[in-house]
Amino acid sequence: EEQLVESGGGSVQAGGSLKLSCEASRYNYCLGWFRQAPGKEREAVATIYTSREAAHGTTFYASSAQGRFTVSQENAKSPVYLQMTSLKPEDTGMYYCATGGLLNGACGLGSTQYRVWGRGTQVTVSS
């Protein structure tokens, strides 16, 4: 059974940084980071191509994360990290990682592409 475990969440002040980690028992083609704030729908943050192919490491970012967050994986068996900088109060939420296959050849930002989910790690950013 595939399992994903997130870690690295915490409480920081606005402008601070956090680095989240996602470890999977088995990676698929894609891994996505998503977040959900109380009372809001889950939204994508970033995705990365995790398969051991030439496209390994290809990333996509939601506009809210572009320029502030970086998703990375050293190799196809390593944990996937989400480095978050210049954090804002609106970044507060539960952060999840999830694995899935390719959709139209890409690791998109749509959550339905991702089938196995972790339990999440809480990020709280205070003003």
Side-chain angles (χ1 to χ4, degrees):
E1 180 182 351
E2 294 182 35
Q3 289 186 329
L4 299 172
V5 179
E6 304 94 337
S7 61
S11 297
V12 296
Q13 290 191 327
S17 300
L18 280 174
K19 187 174 184 178
L20 307 184
S21 174
C22 175
E23 293 194 63
S25 57
R26 188 177 75 85
Y27 292 101
N28 203 323
Y29 280 95
C30 305
L31 188 140
W33 281 100
F34 298 82
R35 67 186 182 190
Q36 186 166 21
K40 294 188 176 181
E41 293 188 356
R42 184 173 54 196
E43 62 176 358
V45 176
T47 68
I48 186 168
Y49 197 109
T50 52
S51 181
R52 196 182 308 172
E53 297 177 357
H56 177 265
T58 302
T59 57
F60 290 94
Y61 294 93
S63 57
S64 59
Q66 189 75 44
R68 298 188 300 127
F69 295 2
T70 302
V71 59
S72 64
Q73 185 190 36
E74 183 175 342
N75 61 60
K77 292 186 177 181
S78 302
V80 175
Y81 299 101
L82 182 67
Q83 176 70 55
M84 305 186 295
T85 63
S86 301
L87 283 163
K88 306 174 183 180
E90 51 264 43
D91 294 319
T92 294
M94 187 69 79
Y95 282 68
Y96 302 90
C97 62
T99 58
L102 296 171
L103 181 62
N104 297 323
C107 298
L109 296 173
S111 63
T112 57
Q113 183 176 351
Y114 301 86
R115 300 301 181 91
V116 181
W117 292 77
R119 293 188 174 184
T121 185
Q122 178 67 37
V123 172
T124 303
V125 184
S126 58
S127 58

